[in-house]
Amino acid sequence: MKNKKIKIKPIRVKSTFIIFSLVFLLLSIQLFRRMVLQGEFLGNKAEQQFLNEAKISPKRGSILDRNGRELAVSGDVYKVNLDLLAMQEYCVRYNETKEQVSEEISGALGMDNDKVLSMLDKTDNNGRLLRGMTLERKIEKDKIDKLKEVRKTKKYNFMIIENDSTRLYPNNNFLAHALGIVDLEGEGVFGLEKYYDKELMGVAGIRIAELDKNASELPYEDVVYTEAINGKDVILSVDESIQYIAQTVADKALKDTKAKGVTIIVTNPKNGEVLAMVNKPDFNLNDPRMGIVDNEKLQQLWRNKAVNDVFEPGSTFKITTISAALEEKVTFLNDDFYCKGFTVVNGTKVNCWKPEGHGSEKLIDILENSCNPGFMELGRRLGQERLNKYIYDFGFGKPAGIDLTGEAAGIIKPTDQMTALDLATISFGQTDAASPIQILAALNTIMNDGVYSTPHLMKEVVGVDKNGGTSVSKPYEEKNQRQVISKDTANTVAKMLEETVSKGSGKQAYVEGLGIAGKTGTAQKANIGGKGYVEGKFISSFIGAAPYDNPKVSVFVSIDEPEGEHFGGIIASPVAKELFQQIFNQMGINPLKE
């Protein structure tokens, strides 16, 4: 029998070839998509499954006073993260329920079991269990030691324990508004903590280790470790002893006057260094919310009125007008003035604070008596353009540049919009608005031979190495220093301000032998959102420096809405007197021997 030849039809061969070709093409496309188009994504995803990456938090730098006393420090604590997917796999592998896991964790940390249990099912927006959920932060070492024992015994490798830090303020409400606070992430929220956040924060480190299928570290693999760089320390110009005096005096003033608030600033007038800054009422930095739920009330409590708020300064502003008038030679020491209790400007009667008037006066008299008509005359002689020039040169109408967050610029009437009536009222301290720090900086300019210096709190930023050694990485640099008035004019005004305290409206601030130069102020509170002023609401203030011919300290005092008497010479001057006496006693300085 002859073998039959099997005939393969060409159509079948072609069909088979086409099918295999299509399959090969599809496989090639999938391989290309997986290896090329999605290679990086899938590689990273796979890497995440067998790598444990832990962030190493740096230690936030400290904030210290000028003598190295700690005002804000960081304590070492811990935080716990959970890989919930790995926890789910663990429960399946070891036949354990999440309720049992929750009891173990809550028992070690002293947390509420229901709270822990409610967090073990958390998912992302795609419904996937979270791989790095933060369970708790700011945990003390003794609790972490218990948790580490549980992790070791139970093989809870889905728990990730990381270093964390907490911010501590050893003196509670000390320098509260200036220091500011940090949030849970250790980032500054306001104040110096916010302003110097970059220097204080440091740079986070990282630790990467390979894991096996049970999420345990492989002992034979190298661990990638980048050490955290701790933050730098910020050394302030603030003197803890002077700050304590200022706070004590402010507390007493708040109680005695039954006022809404008290603000005190103490500086070195020669270089703008802030030695103390107080706002009362204040708050405990270790419990900054103080149980307050209302956010608006909280923001008001945290508001640093020394730099964030502005008000019409009243007669303390007259130091600017008289300095400008002397510098421009539109007046002189033996100049004559007459006050009849008011001045009529373009048909509007503008009163002096003394209804019957002061009568005949010399230049020193209008300053000592704080005579409004006398200063309106100086303003008229200067004119809008020249007066505004000096107002801006003295630092009003723009942020002073102090190293604190939220500084107010103030409100200055533009020259081209200033009427004759505006000129009159601005000359004696109404219409324009300024912050306390701007007013004190203007006085400092006069007390520093006519040279403006920026008020500031940072003295230097210091780096600290592993061995505790320090090195200055950034000293304070003055950027806005300028000659505003001549030395002769400045010294003349300084002597006049000394006579204003020893003989005039500021005499309740007078202390024998200290040579205090100063000016009082009584400002009506403007009607916010409306016109005019609020009936019966005043801010009483005093600015001064001592000794007038070689100043060591300058002070600003304001009493917001005191009950009863409201004149600055009666309310604020005695507070300044007490400040000067205690500060000079603390400094051990006898001005007469300097």
Side-chain angles (χ1 to χ4, degrees), residues 5-14:
K5 290 183 179 181
I6 299 173
K7 291 184 179 181
I8 300 175
K9 295 181 179 180
I11 188 69
R12 289 184 179 181
V13 175
K14 289 180 180 179

Side-chain angles (χ1 to χ4, degrees), residues 332-398:
F332 50 93
L333 289 178
N334 205 33
D335 203 354
D336 290 310
F337 299 84
Y338 187 83
C339 172
K340 56 185 177 181
F342 65 91
T343 296
V344 178
V345 182
N346 283 1
T348 300
K349 184 180 179 182
V350 184
N351 294 319
C352 184
W353 66 267
K354 188 176 182 181
E356 64 273 24
H358 293 99
S360 296
E361 299 175 288
K362 295 295 185 182
L363 184 65
I364 183 61
D365 297 320
I366 69 170
L367 186 63
E368 286 184 16
N369 297 331
S370 201
C371 176
N372 290 349
F375 277 87
M376 284 189 271
E377 174 60 21
L378 293 182
R380 186 193 65 78
R381 294 180 190 179
L382 281 165
Q384 288 91 329
E385 188 172 335
R386 280 194 292 187
L387 179 58
N388 253 8
K389 174 190 178 298
Y390 283 94
I391 287 173
Y392 284 114
D393 286 350
F394 268 101
F396 298 106
K398 54 191 173 185

Side-chain angles (χ1 to χ4, degrees), residues 34 299 429 434 453:
R34 295 282 185 178
Q299 294 304 316
S453 291

Side-chain angles (χ1 to χ4, degrees), residues 529-544:
K531 293 183 178 181
Y533 299 90
V534 181
E535 184 68 28
K537 303 291 186 183
F538 298 89
I539 296 179
S540 307
S541 60
F542 179 92
I543 52 172

Side-chain angles (χ1 to χ4, degrees), residues 246-457:
Q247 292 197 180
T248 303
V249 171
D251 274 325
K252 184 176 183 296
L254 187 69
K255 181 180 178 181
D256 291 346
T257 63
K258 297 180 175 62
K260 181 180 178 181
V262 174
T263 294
I264 291 177
I265 312 170
V266 183
T267 65
N268 179 342
K270 293 183 178 179
N271 57 19
E273 288 185 346
V274 175
L275 303 175
M277 181 176 286
V278 182
N279 293 287
K280 293 291 182 177
D282 56 16
F283 57 95
N284 186 343
L285 287 162
N286 294 302
D287 181 24
R289 295 186 176 274
M290 297 176 65
I292 297 173
V293 178
D294 186 288
N295 191 56
E296 187 174 336
K297 288 183 180 179
L298 194 61
Q299 294 304 316
Q300 282 300 315
L301 179 66
W302 291 349
R303 193 171 180 82
N304 188 347
K305 294 175 174 58
V307 298
N308 300 151
D309 285 7
V310 299
F311 67 104
E312 294 185 13
S315 295
T316 55
F317 197 75
K318 290 172 179 173
I319 64 171
T320 304
T321 306
I322 200 167
S323 296
L326 283 167
E327 186 73 8
E328 290 295 318
K329 296 181 171 51
V330 299
T331 191
F332 50 93
L333 289 178
N334 205 33
D335 203 354
D336 290 310
F337 299 84
Y338 187 83
C339 172
K340 56 185 177 181
F342 65 91
T343 296
V344 178
V345 182
N346 283 1
T348 300
K349 184 180 179 182
V350 184
N351 294 319
C352 184
W353 66 267
K354 188 176 182 181
E356 64 273 24
H358 293 99
S360 296
E361 299 175 288
K362 295 295 185 182
L363 184 65
I364 183 61
D365 297 320
I366 69 170
L367 186 63
E368 286 184 16
N369 297 331
S370 201
C371 176
N372 290 349
F375 277 87
M376 284 189 271
E377 174 60 21
L378 293 182
R380 186 193 65 78
R381 294 180 190 179
L382 281 165
Q384 288 91 329
E385 188 172 335
R386 280 194 292 187
L387 179 58
N388 253 8
K389 174 190 178 298
Y390 283 94
I391 287 173
Y392 284 114
D393 286 350
F394 268 101
F396 298 106
K398 54 191 173 185
I402 190 169
D403 43 350
L404 287 170
T405 53
E407 185 190 356
I411 303 169
I412 303 300
K413 191 84 171 183
T415 304
D416 58 359
Q417 297 177 26
M418 195 188 299
T419 66
L421 182 60
D422 291 330
L423 177 63
T425 57
I426 289 168
S427 298
F428 63 79
Q430 286 188 351
T431 303
D432 286 351
S435 69
I437 197 66
Q438 287 176 325
I439 298 167
L440 188 54
L443 173 70
N444 287 347
T445 301
I446 294 168
M447 305 311 297
N448 189 34
D449 295 334
V451 178
Y452 181 95
S453 291
T454 307
H456 60 278
L457 292 101

